[in-house]
Amino acid sequence: MTAELVRGQNHALPQTRLEIRVSAGSPVVAGATLGDERGAVRGEEWVAHPGSPRLPGLEVSRQAAADHRLAVDLDALPEEVHRVTVLLALPTGAGRPVRFGAVAAPFVAVTGLDGTEIATFTLTGLNTETAVSALELYRRQGAWKVRAVGQGYAGGLAGMLADQGVVRAVEVAASIQEAVAAGLARAVTPPPRAPEPDRARNPATPAGSTAAGDGMPPAPVPPQQPPGDPAPVPPGVTPGGPIDYAHPRRQTTAPPPPPPTAPPAAPGQPAQPVAGDATGWSMDERLYNQIWGMFEDLARAVAAYRSAVDFAESRMDQELDRTLSDPRSRIGGAGDRAREEARAKRDELTGRAREALDRDLAQLAAESAVVEPALPAAYAAWDNPVWHGYRVPMEIPMAMRIGDLHLPEDAGLRVPLLVRLPLERGIWLDSGRTASEAAAETSGDRLRRLAMETAVALATRLLAVYPADEFSVHVIDPAGSAAGALAPLVASGVLAGPPAAGAEGVSTVLAGLTRRVDLVQMAVRARASDALPPDLDTGEQLLIVNDFPHGFDDRAVTQLRYLADEGPAVGVHLLMVADREDARAYGPVLDPLWRSLLRITPVADDHLADPWVGHAWTYEPLRVPRGSRVLEQVLALVAAARRGGAH
């Protein structure tokens, strides 16, 4: 039976391998500290946080998120540890909540590895605090218990760590927030979630799963009504209000469940996968939610496998330490037998974990095999036959595919990486030499060429998924070095103008887009969208920037940063093709620019993180099949639709 704790109450723990699950209404930082008999933290090495997520017997999330799972193995903790304190903090940064009183009360549950709740605690009564000690696991007379703490700190992480005895509390807190900022910059944005009115009673259910743990994908957020003002306001802009990224034509009531398209599975057999087996108002929305469910299922399956392997290794080490600490066991064959037995147990545990993982991977591979052929053009790879029947759409889709993700446990199982439309942040195609094996094997010139080809393919896809005349593409190519890669866009006539070259061209394009952002922002604030100039293009705008910072003076750099920060809210988006090393002369001035953009690469690179457990996922861009003319064919249809609409 679950113990619902109140502040100060404790409860005995019946087992030592636990999960601590955190559910919050907005992203929070989750960490933990280890304490001695007096509860003191002996040093920075006893603090687990996103920048240093693993300690013996303890692992925390690698980034801020609305949902967390912390793994705890009390038997694997150092002997001198008598207390584990779970801490939560609000991430810093523009647009982030500044106090816990402004967000939903966090919910913490201590569970077994099977998800069975042992104790739960809702952290109510918080106000100005920005950090809180949620609960603590403590050892008393050889037995472990959990106590609900709920102690908040208006002084934030630094104040909380100092209270626990950390000497360099301010520096440690700053390093944690820096790690969180880096994690948020590289994290894939999760889909919006529906409100959870029953979360206080079902906190252990992860986002996107049912209480029975059946792996259902995240339910779509109940969208707001689209703006009623018929004046030409860019998509996603609500006059006088915040940006609404919900699909403009989705319903406001709960979506229907997926249709029963497959017979029930035989007893003991896994369910047969079906494309669109998720909630949603349309097939596209059901597929979108299903893909996110596959993404989460793969993340959690691999997390369980890695945790089991770590536990097996830790258990083997402990058994060997206990056995070999006795000098008598080192004489004769006792030591060798102990090693063999410990390794055999390790191999048995890891083997069982791998069998479970292989079952999950096989089910996900079967699901991918039926989902991939059913994807619409916006979600499909370039080699999908759906492109042969492409027609310019009448409305924008919910999302667009920009690449694939996979994990090393099964590199052949790819999950489409979908981003919401309209774009919520710009994209940075890193043309530099990264640490990945693929980048190391590719020359610098080829990396730059591949990066620009990838950018052109992304721009083509954006043009293809928007209705005619609702999306425009501008190009800045100061030295003209991308003429070959840009040929499909230029030849089709879909660009808003010729690629801008030289410092003057850079200045002209940036000035025009900056003016558009300023005018739309003023119209929205004044609720006067009908006052926009008649010649202003209110459709979505994409700016492709190649070879940055060549051709950019200080004013142009400032304008680019302004577009990156303010542009997405009013329909102006960046697609940067750049090597960060080329801009190192600007130093930290450009750090906010790079962090504001979603970084992807022209070759395989494991730099993206999922929003659930923070795995490092390998991203691979979508390649146009060799010899295919699918880009030219799609662009020709887009250009023809625009010419037809102009008449």
Side-chain angles (χ1 to χ4, degrees):
M1 182 176 178
T2 304
E4 297 184 4
L5 304 180
V6 297
R7 187 174 280 109
Q9 188 177 2
N10 60 40
H11 183 73
L13 293 173
Q15 57 201 81
T16 57
R17 293 194 67 202
L18 308 164
E19 276 192 351
I20 299 174
R21 303 183 179 185
V22 179
S23 297
S26 63
V28 296
V29 183
T33 58
L34 305 181
D36 57 19
E37 289 181 323
R38 298 177 294 105
V41 180
R42 295 187 178 180
E44 301 172 29
E45 65 277 7
W46 276 22
V47 182
H49 58 83
S52 179
R54 287 188 176 185
L55 296 178
L58 177 64
E59 183 173 1
V60 304
S61 302
R62 290 167 171 79
Q63 62 194 53
D67 296 282
H68 293 272
R69 289 189 180 188
L70 284 64
V72 181
D73 182 359
L74 298 174
D75 287 338
L77 294 172
E79 287 291 334
E80 57 269 28
V81 171
H82 289 256
R83 185 177 304 178
V84 179
T85 303
V86 177
L87 55 91
L88 305 177
L90 294 175
T92 57
R96 303 285 177 191
V98 296
R99 59 189 181 91
F100 270 109
V103 301
F107 193 99
V108 185
V110 180
T111 76
L113 296 186
D114 60 355
T116 303
E117 292 178 357
I118 300 171
T120 63
F121 177 41
T122 304
L123 283 79
T124 58
L126 298 175
N127 188 7
T128 60
E129 298 88 345
T130 59
V132 59
S133 294
L135 53 79
E136 63 183 17
L137 314 178
Y138 65 97
R139 181 163 52 188
R140 183 71 52 83
Q141 295 179 347
W144 284 93
K145 296 183 177 182
V146 56
R147 177 187 291 121
V149 181
Q151 174 64 53
Y153 292 83
L157 271 172
M160 180 167 53
L161 294 173
D163 190 49
Q164 295 186 27
V166 179
V167 177
R168 300 174 60 253
V170 174
E171 291 82 354
V172 174
S175 68
I176 293 174
Q177 292 291 2
E178 288 175 5
V180 170
L184 289 171
R186 74 188 187 98
V188 178
T189 305
R193 300 188 309 157
E196 300 177 72
D198 295 328
R199 187 181 63 185
R201 290 289 176 185
N202 259 324
T205 303
S209 297
T210 64
D214 57 3
M216 285 294 291
V221 64
Q224 302 174 11
Q225 289 286 356
D229 190 349
V233 179
V237 176
T238 305
I243 305 306
D244 173 21
Y245 291 113
H247 192 283
R249 295 177 181 85
R250 285 167 64 194
Q251 304 294 325
T252 57
T253 55
T261 56
Q269 297 296 319
Q272 293 299 312
V274 177
D277 187 17
T279 57
W281 285 104
S282 65
M283 187 61 171
D284 287 2
E285 187 170 358
R286 292 198 294 271
L287 286 167
Y288 171 83
N289 287 331
Q290 185 174 13
I291 289 171
W292 271 98
M294 293 166 58
F295 188 15
E296 181 175 4
D297 287 347
L298 181 54
R300 297 202 186 282
V302 171
Y305 168 71
R306 293 180 180 178
S307 176
V309 171
D310 289 344
F311 170 75
E313 294 286 350
S314 174
R315 176 175 172 174
M316 181 186 71
D317 292 341
Q318 291 179 33
E319 290 180 352
L320 289 176
D321 288 343
R322 283 196 298 267
T323 301
L324 300 180
S325 62
D326 184 355
R328 292 172 296 180
S329 66
R330 303 172 193 168
I331 302 174
D336 293 337
R337 287 194 298 272
R339 292 187 185 92
E340 291 176 1
E341 291 173 0
R343 288 169 183 154
K345 291 179 182 178
R346 186 269 316 272
D347 293 342
E348 180 187 1
L349 289 173
T350 56
R352 292 208 305 262
R354 185 70 211 195
E355 289 176 3
L357 176 64
D358 288 342
R359 288 194 299 269
D360 292 338
L361 294 178
Q363 183 70 8
L364 286 169
E367 187 173 10
S368 177
V370 299
V371 167
E372 194 73 40
L375 295 178
Y379 303 172
W382 287 115
D383 59 356
N384 192 308
V386 71
W387 288 105
H388 297 314
Y390 167 76
R391 293 293 181 269
V392 177
M394 300 299 292
E395 61 182 34
I396 67 171
M398 288 183 58
M400 184 188 79
R401 185 174 184 170
I402 64 170
D404 291 332
L405 298 171
H406 63 85
L407 289 170
E409 281 75 8
D410 189 348
L413 180 56
R414 309 296 175 92
V415 178
L417 174 57
L418 303 181
V419 294
R420 297 276 293 185
L421 293 179
L423 294 173
E424 301 179 23
R425 60 196 292 199
I427 296 174
W428 165 30
L429 253 164
D430 190 350
S431 60
R433 184 64 61 84
T434 64
S436 72
E437 181 178 345
E441 296 174 351
T442 308
S443 66
D445 290 341
R446 178 166 171 75
L447 278 174
R448 286 188 287 272
R449 184 170 69 255
L450 288 174
M452 199 61 205
E453 291 173 356
T454 304
V456 170
L458 286 175
T460 300
R461 186 173 288 259
L462 281 164
L463 287 164
V465 302
Y466 271 82
D469 295 326
E470 288 192 17
F471 197 87
S472 299
V473 177
H474 309 259
V475 176
I476 290 178
D477 185 22
S481 59
L486 290 169
L489 294 175
V490 175
S492 62
V494 296
L495 292 179
E504 183 177 353
V506 171
S507 177
T508 300
V509 171
L510 291 177
L513 291 175
T514 301
R515 171 179 175 270
R516 182 195 180 283
V517 171
D518 289 339
L519 289 175
V520 175
Q521 281 186 336
M522 287 189 290
V524 170
R525 293 188 186 117
R527 298 179 179 270
S529 55
D530 55 346
L532 288 169
D535 63 337
L536 188 73
D537 182 2
T538 56
E540 298 281 309
Q541 312 285 315
L542 177 72
L543 173 60
I544 302 176
V545 178
N546 181 46
D547 211 15
F548 177 81
H550 182 77
F552 281 72
D553 55 20
D554 290 345
R555 176 179 173 80
V557 170
T558 301
Q559 289 176 318
L560 191 69
R561 288 184 56 189
Y562 176 73
L563 293 177
D565 292 338
E566 304 294 334
V570 290
V572 177
H573 313 284
L574 285 184
L575 177 51
M576 296 271 294
V577 181
D579 180 357
R580 189 169 182 173
E581 281 299 305
D582 293 341
R584 63 182 180 275
Y586 287 94
V589 172
L590 290 181
D591 285 352
L593 172 65
W594 306 120
R595 285 199 297 265
S596 69
L597 305 173
L598 173 62
R599 175 177 171 258
I600 59 177
T601 51
V603 294
D605 191 273
D606 61 347
H607 65 281
L608 289 177
D610 64 78
W612 300 288
V613 293
H615 291 317
W617 292 73
T618 297
Y619 165 84
E620 290 200 21
L622 297 175
R623 297 282 183 219
V624 177
R626 185 181 299 274
S628 172
R629 295 189 59 80
V630 62
L631 293 189
E632 290 80 0
Q633 294 167 1
V634 168
L635 290 172
L637 291 171
V638 172
R642 292 187 172 191
R643 289 193 299 269
H647 297 305

